[in-house]
């Protein structure tokens, strides 16, 4: 067995080490229209988006392969699968977030599904990124909370989030994804991000309900290494450029303090 290295984890780890903040655009293969793809990709290239995360809590149409193919044809932005379930795996992507839902107590999503998919992933060309997934209450019941049958971490309990992240890191997970869920009413607070990022040595991804460049900037200042935005861009694609600028401006500030 060889471990596939497409350079994706290395780029996350370097981001963490050097303080270079990254922007990931979440594409839900069900929601994106293929005829819209060119526009999304052009904007992403221009804005120097760092990653495409591809997936959704519940993907109804079989568009995943088409979506990946059409991105690959048009740009070389890395494509990372963010699967809502074991069916959302495609060899056309570059890497896969191998998510363990450590904020929940649903054994299937902590380890069960992983046992089933591991032998398939072992022979796949995907780089496997073992990632602790922490769902945080975003003020509304999200699809991920319903589908996973788990309770999110209360938004006002940064200590619970911090201890959960710490445990995940001690278990050897390579990255942490703290998510308020797609379309969350309230994105994760600055306090919680600070508390979690202050305790982690591994890259921290933060997403869910981020709608403005200001909030994206606040998140990277609070210690997020990668900021993920999906819903807001589906509603208003023109936000992409401003959010990318806000995230990457933190890099410029580091270079010229
Ligand atoms: C959801 O973190 C992602 O899992 C992105 O959330 O779609 O609300 O931006 P939004």
């Amino acid at each position: 067995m060889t471990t596939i290295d497409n350079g994706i984890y290395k780029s996350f780890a370097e981001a963490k080490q050097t303080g270079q903040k990254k922007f990931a655009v979440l594409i839900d293969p069900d929601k994106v229209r293929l005829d819209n793809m060119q526009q999304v990709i052009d904007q992403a290239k221009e804005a120097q988006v760092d990653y495409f995360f591809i997936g959704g809590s519940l993907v109804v149409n079989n568009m995943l392969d088409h979506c990946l193919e059409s991105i690959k044809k048009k740009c070389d932005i890395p494509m990372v699968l963010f699967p809502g379930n074991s069916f959302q795996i495609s060899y056309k992507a570059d890497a896969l977030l191998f998510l363990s839902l450590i904020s929940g107590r649903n054994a299937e999503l902590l380890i069960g599904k992983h046992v089933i998919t591991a032998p398939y992933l072992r022979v796949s060309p995907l780089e496997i990124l073992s990632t602790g997934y922490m769902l945080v209450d975003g003020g509304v019941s999200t699809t991920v909370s319903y589908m996973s049958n788990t309770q999110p971490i209360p938004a006002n309990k940064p200590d619970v989030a911090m201890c959960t992240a710490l445990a995940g890191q001690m278990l050897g997970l390579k990255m942490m994804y703290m998510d308020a869920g797609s379309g969350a009413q309230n994105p994760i607070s600055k306090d919680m991000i600070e508390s979690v990022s202050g305790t982690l040595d591994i890259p921290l991804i933060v997403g869910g309900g981020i709608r403005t460049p200001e909030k994206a900037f606040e998140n990277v200042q609070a210690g997020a290494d990668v900021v993920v935005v999906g819903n807001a861009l589906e509603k208003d694609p023109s936000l992409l450029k401003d959010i990318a600028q806000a995230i990457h401006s933190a890099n410029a500030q580091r270079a010229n303090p």
Side-chain angles (χ1 to χ4, degrees):
M1 178 193 136
T2 50
T3 306
I4 305 293
D5 177 1
N6 291 328
I8 310 292
Y9 181 69
K10 198 164 162 245
S11 74
F12 281 108
E14 271 173 15
K16 173 79 188 173
Q17 274 159 17
T18 61
Q20 291 291 310
K21 304 300 183 178
K22 305 279 189 186
F23 179 27
V25 169
L26 176 67
I27 294 190
D28 183 333
D30 261 2
K31 292 189 186 153
V32 73
R33 294 204 327 264
L34 288 181
D35 54 349
N36 258 355
M37 244 6 223
Q38 184 64 52
Q39 196 195 352
V40 174
I41 293 166
D42 286 346
Q43 285 186 351
K45 281 202 299 200
E46 201 186 317
Q48 297 183 316
V49 164
D50 299 285
Y51 309 100
F52 281 123
F53 281 7
I54 323 272
S57 305
L58 179 67
V59 172
V60 181
N61 298 309
N62 188 19
M63 292 302 286
L64 182 59
D65 277 354
H66 291 299
C67 181
L68 291 163
E69 273 166 4
S70 101
I71 295 174
K72 203 168 221 162
K73 261 189 231 155
K74 297 177 180 112
C75 72
D76 53 11
I77 297 172
M79 300 184 293
V80 179
L81 293 174
F82 172 41
N85 60 54
S86 328
F87 297 106
Q88 291 176 37
I89 294 177
S90 166
Y91 287 6
K92 296 178 194 300
D94 300 300
L96 170 112
L97 296 177
F98 197 45
L99 300 163
S100 180
L101 206 171
I102 61 172
S103 58
R105 300 296 178 267
N106 177 340
E108 280 303 302
L109 301 176
L110 276 163
I111 184 65
K113 302 285 182 198
H114 311 67
V115 174
I116 293 163
T117 49
Y120 295 94
L121 295 174
R122 182 170 64 166
V123 294
S124 88
L126 295 166
E127 183 175 342
I128 308 301
L129 309 167
S130 74
T131 304
Y133 185 70
M134 293 166 50
L135 189 60
V136 175
D137 193 344
V140 282
S141 173
T142 54
T143 313
V144 59
S145 163
Y146 178 78
M147 293 303 290
S148 67
N149 198 16
T150 65
Q151 267 187 27
I153 295 173
N156 61 349
K157 302 285 180 201
D159 286 356
V160 175
M162 189 268 283
C163 294
T164 307
L166 192 56
Q169 177 172 274
M170 285 176 173
L171 281 166
L173 294 165
K174 286 162 80 179
M175 307 204 293
M176 204 54 63
Y177 190 154
M178 196 158 59
D179 196 356
S182 198
Q185 199 171 58
N186 311 318
I188 296 172
S189 70
K190 181 171 166 269
D191 278 0
M192 190 177 273
I193 298 170
E194 275 173 355
S195 178
V196 168
S197 70
T199 201
L200 285 181
D201 303 315
I202 56 176
L204 173 64
I205 305 167
V206 175
I210 299 165
R211 295 180 187 84
T212 63
E214 291 75 19
K215 179 56 185 159
F217 185 70
E218 180 182 88
N219 284 6
V220 292
Q221 293 290 83
D225 299 298
V226 181
V227 171
V228 188
V229 183
N231 233 279
L233 301 175
E234 281 161 20
K235 292 191 179 125
D236 179 5
S238 69
L239 271 175
L240 195 146
K241 193 171 154 226
D242 292 343
I243 293 181
Q245 252 169 19
I247 293 166
H248 294 145
S249 72
N251 301 340
Q253 282 188 4
R254 278 187 88 83
N256 310 300

